[in-house]
Amino acid sequence: MGAPLLEVEDLTIQYKTSSGPVTAVSGVTFTVEEAEYFGLVGESGCGKSTIAKSLIGGLDENGSIVGGTIKYRGEEIQDFSDAQLSERIRWKEISLIPQSSMNNLDPLQRVSEQAVEIARTHSDMSKAEALERFGELFETVGLQPSRIHDYPHQFSGGMQQRAVIALALFMEPSLIIADEPTTALDVIMQDQIFKYLDAMKDEFETSMLLITHDISLVFESCQSMAVMHGGQLAETGTVVDLYDTPRHPYSILLQEAFPDIEDPNRELGTIDGTPPRIIGDVNVCTFVDRCPWAIEDCHTAAPPLEQVEGDSRHGVSCFRMDEVHEEYATEKRPDIGTTVEETKADGDA
Ligand SMILES: Nc1ncnc2c1ncn2[C@@H]1O[C@H](COP(=O)(O)OP(=O)(O)OP(=O)(O)O)[C@@H](O)[C@H]1O
Ligand code: NI
């Protein structure tokens, strides 16, 4: 077997701000394999979009990678110039469906012109072939093929998002980074797009990095996943690992906070507090202030990602992963720091 499709190791990213360097991502490690859907999950501000942008060299002006490696098929992305990224990587190998897709179409060009331009640079399709193929993709995402010739302003927000998804699929990239791809779309359209993406995975061995705050969506549509908190990676593994035996306190509480399809009447938990904003180096576990299991050590160093014994892919960044696992197995819910919504399920209302 060759190198994994995408290998992110110990990635640290900072933004320059007037109050100092904001560490948006710190020491993050995960791997996306070929033909795999990988979910990156965590609440707002935990660094998901920052990672997404960094993977194609698209960080905001004030952002920079200050540590770690990003390898795509074994090659370091950071060694590519912007021209090389445009020529070799973007669209054809990795395409990004950005979080706010609405602002990602050129307002001065018809959508079809943007597609033809991409096809011209990255394939040997003729213009007619490109337009036909793009029209088919429009149909796939639920838009009238004839509307490829519209300008972006002629579309609603949801339609623009679908046009961006069509563009992202256009060159049949090996990796699609989808940053909250369907949040602006209705459930039926979400389903349709995921069905299509699934078919693509089987046909072209496409991989996807699905970025979302919705852990249930990841459980439903991905094979592997990572949970982030406060710029750090809390836990990574297969969805089965994280669904059946979550070990990081945040993964456990996050899972309790979402409805479970297999147990819809379960009470929903809540996670108190908010993630910290980190200036400069990170030498704590960023979950420490919200963690019912935290001890003194958790305040003094960032826990390294360690493999769960006997499982090469399941990794957890918690000094107390074994104790947490044992306690949680017997007592279920921790007794400090968390509150439980008591009235949710049993018809109290
Ligand atoms: N250009 C920027 N300058 C300064 N700080 C930034 C910049 N972009 C993002 N940040 C900060 O970096 C952190 C991570 O942001 P990011 O957008 O990556 O999070 P996210 O997980 O995608 O959140 P959301 O779910 O809300 O999209 C946040 O604290 C955010 O305020
Ligand atoms: Ni985001």
Side-chain angles (χ1 to χ4, degrees):
M1 243 179 77
L5 189 66
L6 179 73
E7 221 174 347
V8 173
E9 205 174 326
D10 210 15
L11 183 65
T12 299
I13 300 172
Q14 291 183 333
Y15 290 108
K16 283 205 184 76
T17 72
S18 54
S19 35
V22 169
T23 307
V25 173
S26 67
V28 164
T29 297
F30 65 91
T31 300
V32 180
E33 300 288 348
E34 207 120 11
E36 162 173 275
Y37 280 12
F38 187 99
L40 187 59
V41 63
E43 68 207 295
S44 185
C46 72
K48 304 180 297 294
S49 298
T50 300
I51 291 180
K53 292 178 202 165
S54 74
L55 300 178
I56 53 162
L59 281 174
D60 298 353
E61 285 287 306
N62 62 331
S64 56
I65 296 175
V66 297
T69 57
I70 301 169
K71 292 209 172 103
Y72 179 75
R73 295 191 192 281
E75 283 190 282
E76 175 57 54
I77 285 281
Q78 296 175 75
D79 293 343
F80 291 135
S81 67
D82 202 56
Q84 285 171 318
L85 282 170
S86 301
E87 200 175 301
R88 290 187 47 194
I89 301 295
R90 293 187 198 131
W91 300 112
K92 205 165 59 174
E93 292 291 337
I94 307 179
S95 72
L96 172 66
I97 302 169
Q99 184 160 13
S100 38
S101 296
M102 328 257 160
N103 308 320
N104 281 280
L105 294 167
D106 181 347
L108 301 176
Q109 277 195 318
R110 297 174 194 279
V111 185
S112 57
E113 288 168 338
Q114 303 181 44
V116 167
E117 174 66 23
I118 292 169
R120 199 180 54 76
T121 332
H122 297 289
S123 74
D124 44 21
M125 270 187 244
S126 70
K127 188 174 169 183
E129 284 167 341
L131 290 176
E132 195 190 331
R133 159 101 182 114
F134 193 56
E136 285 165 14
L137 279 171
F138 253 47
E139 225 168 355
T140 302
V141 297
L143 296 171
Q144 292 260 320
S146 61
R147 299 205 60 175
I148 59 172
H149 300 298
D150 284 4
Y151 286 95
H153 72 84
Q154 293 173 274
F155 291 142
S156 70
M159 289 163 80
Q160 287 190 31
Q161 181 144 20
R162 283 182 267 166
V164 170
I165 293 172
L167 278 178
L169 303 174
F170 192 31
M171 290 296 107
E172 291 169 8
S174 299
L175 176 63
I176 296 169
I177 304 168
D179 192 353
E180 302 275 6
T182 53
T183 31
L185 305 178
D186 63 53
V187 178
I188 294 172
M189 190 42 61
Q190 284 189 21
D191 264 10
Q192 186 173 329
I193 286 172
F194 274 106
K195 271 206 192 92
Y196 179 74
L197 291 170
D198 264 339
M200 254 187 87
K201 179 177 64 193
D202 298 337
E203 192 175 343
F204 305 110
E205 308 223 308
T206 312
S207 298
M208 183 161 77
L209 181 63
L210 173 65
I211 295 178
T212 173
H213 59 272
D214 183 348
I215 199 168
S216 341
L217 180 65
V218 170
F219 285 146
E220 278 167 50
S221 30
C222 297
Q223 290 80 55
S224 298
M225 64 188 289
V227 172
M228 285 185 69
H229 183 272
Q232 293 172 334
L233 189 125
E235 182 161 1
T236 185
T238 64
V239 298
V240 176
D241 291 335
L242 273 91
Y243 185 83
D244 287 345
T245 52
R247 289 189 175 232
H248 191 285
Y250 182 58
S251 322
I252 292 172
L253 299 182
L254 190 63
Q255 193 177 124
E256 290 193 347
F258 273 86
D260 185 345
I261 26 170
E262 288 178 17
D263 184 11
N265 291 327
R266 193 202 60 200
E267 292 173 351
L268 297 187
T270 56
I271 309 174
D272 285 345
T274 48
R277 189 174 156 87
I278 308 271
I279 308 286
D281 291 343
V282 185
N283 36 34
V284 315
C285 168
T286 56
F287 193 56
V288 66
D289 291 333
R290 311 173 77 185
C291 181
W293 285 282
I295 54 171
E296 203 47 43
D297 285 355
C298 310
H299 291 269
T300 57
L305 184 70
E306 285 185 44
Q307 260 165 34
V308 174
E309 212 181 326
D311 185 341
S312 64
R313 199 128 185 229
H314 194 179
V316 182
S317 311
C318 174
F319 292 120
R320 304 198 64 210
M321 63 187 252
D322 293 329
E323 291 101 313
V324 169
H325 180 63
E326 244 165 63
E327 276 179 34
Y328 188 67
T330 50
E331 288 166 38
K332 228 43 191 171
R333 201 181 293 273
D335 55 359
I336 45 167
T338 53
T339 51
V340 183
E341 230 177 292
E342 309 278 3
T343 52
K344 201 80 205 168
D346 301 327
D348 278 9

